[in-house]
Amino acid sequence: MTQQPGDATNAVAASARDLIKVYGKGEAEVRALDGVTVDLMQGEFTAIMGPSGSGKSTLMHCLAALDTPTSGEAVVDGTSLGKLKDKDLTTLRRERVGFVFQSFNLVPTLSAEENILLPLSLAGRKPDRAWFDQVVDAVGLRPRLGHRPSEMSGGQQQRVACARALVSQPRIVFADEPTGNLDSTSSAEVLGFLRRSVDEFGQTVVMVTHDPVAASYTDRVLFLADGVIVDELRSPDRDQILAKMASLQDAAVKKAAS
Amino acid sequence: MLLLTWRNLLARKVRLLMSTLAIVLGIGFLAGVMTFSTGLNATFQNIVSGSTPDGLVRPAGDVSGANAGVATTQLITPADIDKIGALPEVAAATGSVDGFGSFLLGKDDKLVGGQGAPTLAFNYAPGENMAGDEVLELSQGGWPEKPGEVTLDTSSAERGGYDIGDTVTMIVPTEVQDPRRTFTLVGTADFNGGGTAGATLVLLDTSEAQEIFLGGEDAFTSVALTAADGVSQTQLADAADAVVPGGFTAVTGDKVVKETQDQIGQFLDVISIFLTTFAVIAIVVGAFIIFNTFSILVSQRVRESALLRALGASKKQVTRSVLIEAFLMAVVGATLGLLLGLGLSRLLAGLFRTFGLDIAGDVLTLTPFTIIAGYVVGILVTMVAAFVPARRAAKVPPVAAMRDDLVVQEKGMGRRLVLGSIAMAVGVALAAAGLVGAPGTDAIWIGAGAVIWVITTAVLAPVLGHPVLVACRAVFGRLFGTAGLLAGENALRNPRRTGATASALMIGLAVVSAVGVLASSLSATNDKVVDDQFKSDFLVQMPTFQGFPSGFGDRMQDVDGVDLVSRQQGTPVSVDVDGTPDQTFAIGVDPGFFEIYDLTMIDGTDQISGHQTLLSEGRADDLKAGPGDTIDVEFPGGKKIPLEVVGVFEDTPTTGGITFPLSVLADAGIKRSDSTLSITLADGADRATVKRDLEDVVKDLPILSVQDKEEFKELISGQVNQLLYVIYGLLALAVVIAVIGIVNTLGLSVLERTREIGLLRAVGLSRRKLRTMITLESVAIALLGAVLGMVVGLVIGVVLRQSLKDDLTVLSLPVSNLLIFLVVAVIFGVLAAIVPAIRASRMKVLAAIATE
Ligand SMILES: Nc1ncnc2c1ncn2[C@@H]1O[C@H](COP(=O)(O)OP(=O)(O)O)[C@@H](O)[C@H]1O
Ligand SMILES: [Mg+2]
């Protein structure tokens, strides 16, 4: 699970500079992000981990141009998001970012194929047929292309979502707990595919998860607690991750007790 | 994106079908009304141009007595006609004898043709219309060739139940004892343009027509002219005019056509505006339904919209996709609506046929204008109604796709309340301006205020409706336990949705209630007027207020127990108001009139004789005339008589604005007939016996009735009610559309609450209780709409009555009607819930819970 030689490994796909996101006011104030600075590398599979409520999703939303931070700067593919208007953010999402969500990934009224091609048809772009075929074969969905989401299992649906995220050849793919609703077999299929997309297509993938097994598929794991990055691991295995998580959990429990 | 729109439409077929239905019905109504109006116009157009010759010699003057059935005594002799016929410009001159005051009776002895369209009796003579075709076309049998023969129009013969060879009974305006005459039906014929528009045609042999209508004189009342080759209508009329006898004039066919069309046009315009008003109401109600459906659909698709936004759909794309959905729906709805309209116009035509107005089926076609109007209105209304929800869909933040807490924040009602209150105040100000007599028509000011009130009430329905819904919850909870309470909560939990759904019904009921107040006040006013003014014991009149032979009055005078029979004869006249001729109605009265009625004199005396006249206060103002002045009155036939004003009386429905002795009519060359007889009882006479004897006199003229005060009241309130029922019938469509809206909202709410319903079922809510719950929610919405509508409608009705207080002197609230409406609203609520309730109760508990 190493990076392919010759890749522009040092290039930054997305980065955060002192990101702060505050929800609510006064008593109800929640600092979901409390000064996050991080670089996400191109061609890397990065996991963001942390206890529930630690700000993982918020970080991802801010990096993926879905939400705006209270302060700080988010940069995607060299573009600083802070100065962009809704229209430009939309274009950026459409052209340079791919998404896989935990649930409700697919438009129920469209077939698998139509769902996969949705970002392209939104942009009014013609699909690259060869690339489409390659992606579809990689997720193993060819026989299911004509099916509606309701006719597919959760794992199949997530794979359709993955294929959709890749088909527009974005600079970076964000996945928020993509295996959160799946059983272990389906999870393995989805994670395997994301791994392959990094290895074979040189895709950049950022995944939020709290599952150590899922995180063990990645090249790099960032640990988040109370809205700050507290640690990181490179090419981790399951046990390392478990240990890290356990210590974070302890710290959280202690902090809550004090 | 188009694909997605298309799929969304298909996926929500049933839900959208209901909203499409709102468009279908609205546009259907509009198209139906337009088609019907066009057909009505075409029918008259065809008949008018098909029955008018190149030129016409007729009595001179501007006042046409024909419509009021007033006959003049001016005649033209055969020698005069020969003189006209000898002119080189004239190819043919055909004398006609036009008779008024005859009626055709059917085999069942009932009047044929109802009371709307006239009976045209005249001598048959061949003649060409402007286009060179025969004016009359025989459809069966032959023309009348000798006395005792008659040819009728096809439809009247059919309605009377007559076949060729049958004996036909008619009432003719003779002075002799028996006005009944029998003829042998020898044929049926129609105007060249097709049909008769409901008029009854009675074609007689010339000598018999002269005997009946002209007392046997060999003369004619008018002459139809056909131009020689190459002679224009103007040349024809000018040439003929030079030789016509005094009191007559020759006019072009075009002029006759234009005059007729102007007269009919006004009447047709009124019908078309009247009907269009209701189409507009239906469409406005439909717009509410569409708005509501899209609001709900959009809120149910928050996640989908957010997903699209996250995947890079621009706001515009999301808005557009909803709008395209609306557009496609509108196109489908308008198409179906146009077809429905065609059917509806046939139905309307059928309805009018029963009132005696025949409209040929082949003129009821969708004109390009109707089709374009249908699509434009349908698409515009739908798109406008869907615009706000579409914008809302685009405003969904992309993050919403990933957050579980999907509550899209709704703005508070505060701003709405403030703006609404301001709008209400503006409405009040407008209505007040109308009441205190701002320039222009009061009704326009008040109408503008009313429209603002209705719209504001719709916008504020979520707030204004709160107390009603809270009351519903309390009552339902008491009566139906938990299911009732849950129903109340459900109606309360999304006030916007409940309010918008109820608003559709509110509009319908507001109009119904306002009309109800006016109708009820009108009836009450009429009762009062009759009580005040009905001074005689009996009144004898035709329901159409046409004239009838004066022989009846003569015979009634001889009935035992009758003290006095006062004769009144009405006629249209023309007077000069500020330099322009003004058509009005004048009444000639006998001296007995003043023995029965006390006119309240403001000025001068009510003692009139010779060429003297009384004026009502209103008329005197118009004419700027008072006692001592002389006014010029022009009568049908063209005679002008100067009348000396001797008195001015307070306005009253008892007599016309210009009232003079009967002798004036005779001097004006108007044939004697009566339009009203006022009869008083001799002292000690038995009312019932006298009435029976009087009725015996008119038994040969079945439509002439002897009424006492109560019967007269009933007659008038019957007419008011008839109109009221027609209006209610037309408004029913708007109410039906509103009910569809409730079905739609409930259906969507049930779908949205699938999980919750599953949960309720899982914890033990029975199917029956579930159905009760949904039915009660529906009833709450219906009641809310009804209550708001009635309150608004009552206010509007009362204000309108106030502005009309000169005519509607009594204010009366239709309390019992309002209670009925409330009950009907509850019934509609129950009906609207049937399908959604069944759907909800059929949900499988587990599947419902598993639904995401
Ligand atoms: N829309 C919101 N409004 C208020 N608080 C929020 C909102 N979204 C997230 N939060 C809060 O921000 C914190 C971080 O949330 P999130 O990023 O979703 O955490 P994670 O994904 O790590 O579980 C949590 O305490 C959460 O309650
Ligand atoms: Mg999360």
Side-chain angles (χ1 to χ4, degrees), chain B residues 67-78:
Chain B
N67 292 319
V70 173
T72 58
T73 48
Q74 278 160 297
L75 296 177
I76 191 160
T77 62

Side-chain angles (χ1 to χ4, degrees), chain B residues 564-590:
Chain B
L564 191 67
V565 176
S566 158
R567 319 293 194 86
Q568 295 127 54
Q569 179 177 10
T571 175
V573 294
S574 175
V575 286
D576 185 272
V577 173
D578 295 332
T580 50
D582 184 31
Q583 285 244 5
T584 178
F585 218 73
I587 293 192
V589 299
D590 62 1

Side-chain angles (χ1 to χ4, degrees), chain B residues 6 87 107 133 306 415 457 510 532 535 571 615 640 670 729 767 813 850:
Chain B
W6 186 240
L87 291 168
K107 266 205 167 138
D133 300 316
R415 208 171 58 132
T457 308
D532 290 351
K535 292 285 166 51
T571 175
L615 296 179
K640 269 202 182 122
I670 308 286
R767 281 218 163 98
L813 300 183

Side-chain angles (χ1 to χ4, degrees), chain A residues 23-24 30 32 51-59 177 208, chain B residues 403 405:
Chain A
Y23 288 113
V30 177
S52 180
S54 57
K56 307 182 292 288
S57 296
T58 308
L59 174 60
E177 309 209 25
V208 166
Chain B
R403 294 276 179 208
D405 41 355

